[in-house]
Amino acid sequence: GAAAFAGGAGAVPRLDDAQVDEAATELLAPFEGSGENPYALHRELQDVMQRKVGIYRTAADLREGIEGVARLRERAARVRVEGSRQFNPGWHLARDLRSLLVVSEAVARSALVREESRGAHSRLDFPKPDERLGRLNTVVSRDGDGVRITQSALPEMPPELRALVDQAGGVPGSVQPPGAQGPEKIDEAKGGTRGRIP
């Protein structure tokens, strides 16, 4: 199938030489950089995300996390690497840092607008699900060097799937923040006694 598609594709598209040169300059910039080691910045990014955008979240922590990521992005623009282009994982990480910073900001900003707890997203300041937010998708788009967060309506869940979810007491596998009531379960070993999952 791939061969048939390639055979019928016609002329090979030509890349813009100016764009190629610009990409090459950008890729090689860390060899001329005057900033920090990419491994150090990577460790700091891991630390910010773990402490401020971890399993249990609050608005204050998320805002601090977003600010921390922004500071790291400024420093990452001047990151430097040493050695050659051959087998240089530090150089690869210098490039990867850009994507890691974008994804980190996207996660933190998305978590900030989701003022509820649902699934693996747990907000200590909003421990319960919000039905309105349960009907929305959070959408992240690039906006210059940063990201833009919007929300769009989810399609309605088919009635047969909704019946299964309601019967199960919620979405299976969801994580509840400390102190939140879990869905009911039947303890068959005790003759069908109902209890709450802690």
Side-chain angles (χ1 to χ4, degrees):
F5 175 82
V12 176
R14 177 165 174 73
L15 295 174
D16 183 333
D17 289 338
Q19 287 183 317
V20 173
D21 291 342
E22 182 181 348
T25 299
E26 186 179 310
L27 280 169
L28 294 172
F31 289 104
E32 306 297 326
S34 59
E36 301 167 71
N37 185 300
Y39 289 103
L41 291 179
H42 186 236
R43 280 192 298 273
E44 287 190 46
L45 178 59
Q46 288 177 314
D47 182 60
V48 166
M49 293 301 287
Q50 182 67 35
R51 288 186 303 105
K52 300 300 180 181
V53 195
I55 296 173
Y56 299 114
R57 301 158 171 177
T58 66
D61 281 346
L62 290 168
R63 288 189 184 99
E64 287 181 31
I66 291 166
E67 291 170 4
V69 169
R71 287 192 295 270
L72 288 170
R73 186 189 302 108
E74 291 176 8
R75 291 162 58 192
R78 300 181 302 278
V79 73
R80 70 175 166 78
V81 296
E82 298 176 356
S84 70
R85 301 185 204 177
Q86 287 78 36
F87 309 109
N88 191 332
W91 181 30
H92 302 163
L93 181 58
R95 179 66 180 176
D96 291 345
L97 270 173
R98 297 179 182 201
S99 298
L100 292 168
L101 288 160
V102 170
V103 171
S104 296
E105 182 182 358
V107 169
R109 289 192 182 279
S110 297
L112 184 61
V113 300
R114 287 187 59 198
E115 296 181 336
E116 65 162 356
S117 291
R118 182 185 304 273
H121 170 70
S122 298
R123 289 280 299 265
L124 294 177
D125 44 356
F126 295 94
K128 295 182 179 180
D130 181 322
E131 286 307 311
R132 182 188 67 83
L133 289 171
R135 295 189 296 271
L136 296 174
N137 266 331
T138 301
V139 181
V140 182
S141 306
R142 288 299 298 266
D143 186 10
D145 290 335
V147 298
R148 180 176 65 254
I149 307 296
T150 57
Q151 293 177 318
S152 64
L154 281 171
E156 286 295 321
M157 187 181 295
E160 63 276 12
L161 182 56
R162 169 55 68 190
L164 290 171
V165 170
D166 290 344
Q167 181 181 1
V171 178
S174 63
V175 175
Q176 297 290 334
Q181 296 261 339
E184 288 190 339
K185 69 173 180 179
I186 297 176
D187 187 345
E188 296 179 4
K190 296 182 179 178
T193 306
R194 288 188 177 271
R196 304 299 292 188
I197 298 174

